[in-house]
Amino acid sequence: MGLLGIDIGTTHCKAGFFQENGSILKIAVRPTITHYNQQGEPFISPSEIWRNIASCLKEILSGCNEKVSAIGITSMAETGLLLDRRTGRPRTNFIPWFSRCAETEAEEISKEDRPFDRFQKTGLHNSYKYGLAKILQLKKRDKDILEEAVWLSASDYIAYLLTGNLATDYTLAARTYAFRIDQLTWDQPWIKHFGLPEQLFPEAMPSGKLMGLTQSKVCDHLGLSPGIPVAIAGHDHLVAAIAVGAVNPGNVFNSIGTAETMVGAFEKRQLTDIEYASGMTFGCHIVRNRLFWMGGISASGGSIEWFREQFADQKMTYEEIMILSSNVKAGPSRILYYPYLSGSGSPQPDPYARGAFIGLKTSHQRRDLLKAMMEGTAYELESIRRSAERISGYRINRMTSVGGGTKNKYWMQIKADITNCQLTIPEINEATMLGAAITAGIGSGVYKSEEEAVSAIRYTHSKEIVPNQEFHQEYKHLYEEGYMGLQEQLRNFYRRFPSSLTNE
């Protein structure tokens, strides 16, 4: 018996088949294509997502003699669409988490409740990323679009196609800004306040709980058997934390992809003004009776991808990035880079923040700018780490890091030097997919508990990266006096001129 994990990501759709100890049996990957409409707004085609997932499932199950005991699905947290309840067909494309199409609606939402009161209910600071703002923007464009409609995340949509049932989990429901994490229910008075239908959202349930069984009509051409338990595993960063065992207070998880996050767990309690002032986001953890704190960098790996596109006639290969990284002088570059290509996330959320280089000289080359970008994302990680220490009350000097960025040893050393943290990089492929599979295994009874699941996973070995104390002291000065000291003026400038200077 094996566990199947599905991961619908910003850059790729993936499916993987795992043994109960976490060993990979087979993995398939397809690209996630972002399209743009005439207004320049990004969207993702639901039919393309389904074709990708179906193709991945066919590939990994072809010739496989192992039986699937459960399927877990994870995805980009705030990416969603409207589905017609009557026909089961999408009424819209997926609006991705990074789309800024609902900035105006987010500002309007902020005027409808005291920010702290809303924070205590949702764990969030208002943002254009969340489902509620996107829904209101769709309603403005078409007043009838919400009739008999339901809002689904990418995970929910694939689960619906596999089972015919409509549901979501607590971690994804919370990213709509219409779900109460303190009561684990949809906030109907808040939903009605905006004139939205009561049934706009699906049933919300704990992460990993059985939400349906695979249907015969979709199984035949996929190579699946009917009647397999399907679970919505939840927020992609949280399921990855499960896979590496970073689920206890003091054990911090760092995920490095297009966006980057730092995530920690703590016992469930009412959120206070201390958490609110931290600027971090909070929510229901996949682990029962726990909440999580999270800080994020919207364009971490995204900054490197931008560099690959813009600093060469043809898109640079990752091998070329590694060569550039290896040819830079050791120690701080002393160039400050602000990785706000998509605004800034927690702990200083600001949609108007913009990226910048400060301190350039004629002698600087591409390799110096690349290093500065790696340092800038690490400075931002240090900002998250310091904020997390203040709210958690414990020292954070170790992190477990996963994701594509961990393949660049030079970048990882910079992160260690700036944060003064020892980084553990487990020898684990596809932590997010594995976490989705494990979460489904917990919900279907393959594992008796989260603890049993975590202890069952076997890693061959882990890489440890230790900070260079001499460089850390230099970086500490640059962070406090330079990176943090200068950025507020930049932020204020773009808040005063949010659109006229950005060609938006």
Side-chain angles (χ1 to χ4, degrees):
M1 299 286 280
L3 295 166
L4 202 156
I6 295 173
D7 176 17
I8 308 158
T10 306
T11 55
H12 294 99
C13 292
K14 304 176 183 179
F17 201 22
F18 301 88
Q19 293 179 331
E20 292 174 14
N21 65 0
S23 300
I24 297 173
L25 296 172
K26 203 169 182 180
I27 282 178
V29 182
R30 303 289 185 272
T32 301
I33 306 298
T34 299
H35 304 277
Y36 293 85
N37 62 21
Q38 292 181 339
Q39 292 75 40
E41 298 166 345
F43 69 90
I44 300 170
S45 166
S47 61
E48 287 181 4
I49 291 291
W50 173 240
R51 283 198 298 270
N52 281 344
I53 296 302
S55 177
C56 286
L57 291 176
K58 289 177 187 177
E59 180 179 333
I60 65 174
L61 294 172
S62 176
C64 182
N65 296 321
E66 292 274 352
K67 290 186 177 181
V68 180
S69 56
I71 301 172
I73 310 172
T74 184
S75 67
M76 306 167 275
E78 298 88 5
T79 298
L81 57 65
L82 286 174
L83 185 84
D84 190 310
R85 287 180 178 269
R86 295 166 296 192
T87 65
R89 296 174 182 170
R91 287 192 181 172
T92 68
N93 290 301
F94 280 115
I95 305 176
W97 60 270
F98 54 84
S99 172
R100 306 176 74 93
C101 68
E103 285 183 320
T104 298
E105 289 71 26
E107 291 181 6
E108 293 169 356
I109 290 170
S110 67
K111 302 172 184 176
E112 300 303 312
D113 196 4
R114 292 178 59 216
F116 177 66
D117 290 346
R118 187 54 33 192
F119 172 79
Q120 281 198 305
K121 296 171 182 176
T122 65
L124 303 174
H125 300 269
N126 185 33
S127 170
Y128 63 86
K129 294 180 181 179
Y130 303 136
L132 180 60
K134 293 171 181 174
I135 289 166
L136 293 178
Q137 198 256 1
L138 290 169
K139 183 183 177 183
K140 277 185 181 179
R141 295 184 177 183
D142 181 353
K143 62 182 178 62
D144 299 320
I145 197 168
L146 302 183
E147 185 179 349
E148 293 295 326
V150 59
W151 177 262
L152 299 179
S153 75
S155 291
D156 308 339
Y157 177 65
I158 296 302
Y160 168 73
L161 293 179
L162 289 173
T163 68
N165 294 339
L166 295 170
T168 191
D169 89 308
Y170 295 154
T171 69
L172 295 174
R175 307 305 281 193
T176 63
Y177 208 54
F179 185 80
R180 294 194 58 158
I181 64 170
D182 57 340
Q183 297 180 354
L184 300 179
T185 186
W186 294 107
D187 191 343
Q188 288 298 342
W190 180 242
I191 292 168
K192 292 177 183 177
H193 176 77
F194 293 99
L196 304 178
E198 283 188 39
Q199 301 303 314
L200 180 59
F201 298 102
E203 177 188 0
M205 56 182 59
S207 305
K209 183 179 179 181
L210 172 66
M211 59 79 64
L213 303 174
T214 52
Q215 302 179 94
S216 299
K217 64 180 182 180
V218 298
C219 287
D220 292 341
H221 74 286
L222 297 178
L224 281 171
S225 300
I228 299 172
V230 176
I232 297 168
H235 194 303
D236 49 2
H237 297 311
L238 299 177
V239 299
I242 283 273
V244 300
V247 294
N248 295 312
N251 194 348
V252 174
F253 174 67
N254 172 224
S255 174
I256 312 164
T258 303
E260 181 171 357
T261 59
M262 184 187 290
V263 183
F266 63 101
E267 295 300 319
K268 188 173 182 179
R269 56 177 167 77
Q270 185 178 32
L271 300 176
T272 69
D273 55 355
I274 295 175
E275 287 80 26
Y276 177 71
S278 74
M280 307 283 266
T281 61
F282 299 80
C284 309
H285 206 292
I286 288 172
V287 179
R288 290 166 293 179
N289 299 317
R290 286 186 192 160
L291 298 178
F292 69 83
W293 56 258
M294 181 184 297
I297 309 169
S298 298
S300 181
S303 289
I304 307 304
E305 292 303 306
W306 178 79
F307 181 90
R308 292 176 64 211
E309 290 274 7
Q310 303 301 326
F311 285 79
D313 292 333
Q314 293 185 333
K315 189 173 183 177
M316 297 175 68
T317 66
Y318 290 116
E319 182 179 0
E320 289 172 323
I321 290 291
M322 289 295 287
I323 292 172
L324 277 179
S325 301
S326 67
N327 289 329
V328 181
K329 182 181 177 181
S333 72
R334 308 189 75 81
I335 302 170
L336 299 178
Y337 168 69
Y338 295 90
Y340 304 144
L341 302 182
S342 302
S344 67
S346 303
Q348 297 184 79
D350 183 356
Y352 301 117
R354 292 293 180 266
F357 286 101
I358 294 178
L360 297 179
K361 300 188 297 183
T362 56
S363 60
H364 285 138
Q365 302 177 30
R366 285 190 306 174
R367 62 190 182 187
D368 301 302
L369 297 182
L370 175 60
K371 183 167 188 177
M373 296 182 88
M374 294 177 181
E375 291 172 334
T377 59
Y379 285 138
E380 198 67 14
L381 194 66
E382 171 65 359
S383 175
I384 297 170
R385 189 196 67 80
R386 292 191 181 196
S387 183
E389 278 193 342
R390 288 192 291 270
I391 61 173
S392 66
Y394 54 79
R395 177 86 174 99
I396 298 175
N397 54 16
R398 295 184 65 93
M399 286 188 282
T400 300
S401 299
V402 302
T406 61
K407 297 175 183 178
N408 189 323
K409 63 181 180 180
Y410 305 102
W411 194 8
M412 292 302 100
Q413 186 63 57
I414 289 170
K415 288 179 184 289
D417 294 347
I418 288 178
T419 64
N420 201 27
C421 285
Q422 181 167 328
L423 305 183
T424 299
I425 304 174
E427 191 69 26
I428 180 173
N429 290 315
E430 306 298 345
T432 304
M433 250 197 310
L434 174 57
I438 291 170
T439 303
I442 296 168
S444 62
V446 173
Y447 311 106
K448 294 179 181 178
S449 64
E450 291 92 347
E451 292 76 16
E452 181 178 287
V454 168
S455 64
I457 305 305
R458 297 285 179 263
Y459 312 120
T460 54
H461 66 278
S462 298
K463 185 186 301 180
E464 301 289 334
I465 298 180
V466 179
N468 180 306
Q469 289 302 316
E470 178 185 349
F471 292 157
H472 170 66
Q473 292 305 316
E474 293 183 58
Y475 276 127
K476 182 179 180 182
H477 175 75
L478 286 167
Y479 170 80
E480 294 175 350
E481 300 298 323
Y483 187 79
M484 295 304 293
L486 295 175
Q487 68 168 275
E488 192 57 35
Q489 295 181 54
L490 290 171
R491 288 176 180 270
N492 287 337
F493 177 73
Y494 281 106
R495 288 188 195 113
R496 291 198 302 272
F497 303 97
S499 59
S500 60
L501 297 174
T502 57
N503 293 322
E504 292 178 354

